């Protein structure tokens, strides 16, 4: 499938005809394919898409759960905007088929691929917002996130809390998180964190130290499922 056809197929799944198709093109351009011209990649659109998603999910949660306290709403928000959740939605929309990046990047490890997909979905949402406004972005969010929002009658626990419950419940003490590195520009840093628990380690990355810790805990728990 040609790049143009892949973009058209994705736009159809999004239910939106872009007045400025160059926005969708940029949203689907990974920084690895820009030959150093990072301003032409999807990073800026990811930046705004992340904020749009947070606003729209927070708005929806306030509307849908009028009796819940801020702490419980925060747990729901963390789950609904997590990299794992976004990557799952990106896979359902088949965003990977339209992504412009070297083939080697498609062979990256699980955690890196999750981050690539979740970032691309945020960039697509940012492109949709800039092309048609908040209502268009809201329509996509409420359609694609509906099953996830309705599927949890109780606020889901973040990965760090689930890992802590697992270790403490077995008398293994608290997980230990170590910041390994901080990379990237100041406006768009990438934190890398390792978590050690029960004699096993896992690594995660994110746009904040907290997000990286959550990603590391999620990776540790996924490893537990495979053992």
């Amino acid at each position: 499938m040609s790049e143009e056809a892949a973009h058209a197929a994705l736009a159809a799944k999004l239910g939106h005809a872009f007045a400025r198709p160059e926005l969708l093109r940029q949203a689907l351009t990974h920084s690895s394919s820009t030959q150093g011209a990072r301003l032409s990649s999807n990073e800026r659109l990811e930046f705004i898409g992340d904020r749009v998603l947070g606003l729209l999910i927070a708005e929806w949660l306030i509307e849908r759960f009028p009796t819940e306290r801020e702490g419980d709403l925060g747990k729901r928000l963390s789950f609904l905007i997590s990299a794992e959740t976004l990557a799952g939605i990106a896979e359902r929309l088949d965003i990977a088929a339209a992504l412009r990046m070297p083939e080697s990047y498609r062979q990256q490890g699980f955690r890196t691929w999750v981050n690539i997909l979740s970032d691309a979905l945020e960039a697509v949402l940012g492109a949709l917002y800039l092309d048609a406004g908040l209502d268009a972005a809201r329509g996509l969010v409420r359609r694609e996130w509906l099953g996830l929002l309705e599927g949890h009658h109780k606020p889901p626990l973040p990965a760090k809390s689930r890992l802590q419950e697992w270790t403490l419940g077995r008398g293994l003490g608290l997980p230990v998180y170590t910041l390994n590195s901080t990379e990237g520009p100041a406006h768009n840093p990438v934190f890398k964190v390792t978590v050690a628990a029960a004699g096993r380690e896992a690594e995660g990355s994110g746009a904040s130290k907290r997000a990286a810790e959550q990603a590391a805990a999620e990776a540790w728990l996924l490893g537990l499922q495979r053992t």
Side-chain angles (χ1 to χ4, degrees), residues 165-179:
E165 283 191 356
W166 190 92
T167 57
L168 291 180
R170 289 160 177 77
L172 299 174
L174 292 170
V176 177
Y177 294 88
T178 302
L179 177 63

Side-chain angles (χ1 to χ4, degrees), residues 143-200:
R143 182 175 71 249
E144 296 298 332
W145 273 259
L146 177 61
L148 294 165
L149 181 133
E150 296 291 352
H152 291 272
H153 299 293
K154 292 183 179 180
L157 285 175
K160 284 185 67 176
S161 298
R162 285 185 278 127
L163 175 54
Q164 181 173 308
E165 283 191 356
W166 190 92
T167 57
L168 291 180
R170 289 160 177 77
L172 299 174
L174 292 170
V176 177
Y177 294 88
T178 302
L179 177 63
N180 297 330
S181 65
T182 305
E183 303 173 355
H187 71 277
N188 190 28
V190 176
F191 294 81
K192 293 187 177 181
V193 166
T194 294
V195 61
R200 189 161 54 81

Side-chain angles (χ1 to χ4, degrees), residues 70-166:
E70 182 270 343
D72 287 339
L73 293 173
K75 292 175 185 176
R76 293 187 187 274
L77 178 67
S78 294
F79 167 72
L80 291 169
I81 66 173
S82 69
E84 290 73 21
T85 294
L86 269 62
I89 294 171
E91 287 184 339
R92 188 163 68 239
L93 292 170
D94 200 18
I95 283 178
L99 266 177
R100 186 193 305 171
M101 63 182 175
E103 188 59 35
S104 61
Y105 273 72
R106 298 179 186 273
Q107 312 303 323
Q108 297 291 315
F110 171 79
R111 172 52 46 188
T112 299
W113 185 236
V114 164
N115 289 337
I116 288 172
L117 286 180
S118 62
D119 290 349
L121 178 57
E122 287 179 338
V124 167
L125 187 62
L128 184 59
Y129 165 73
L130 291 177
D131 193 66
L134 209 53
D135 283 343
R138 184 181 291 111
L140 174 65
V141 168
R142 297 213 174 190
R143 182 175 71 249
E144 296 298 332
W145 273 259
L146 177 61
L148 294 165
L149 181 133
E150 296 291 352
H152 291 272
H153 299 293
K154 292 183 179 180
L157 285 175
K160 284 185 67 176
S161 298
R162 285 185 278 127
L163 175 54
Q164 181 173 308
E165 283 191 356
W166 190 92

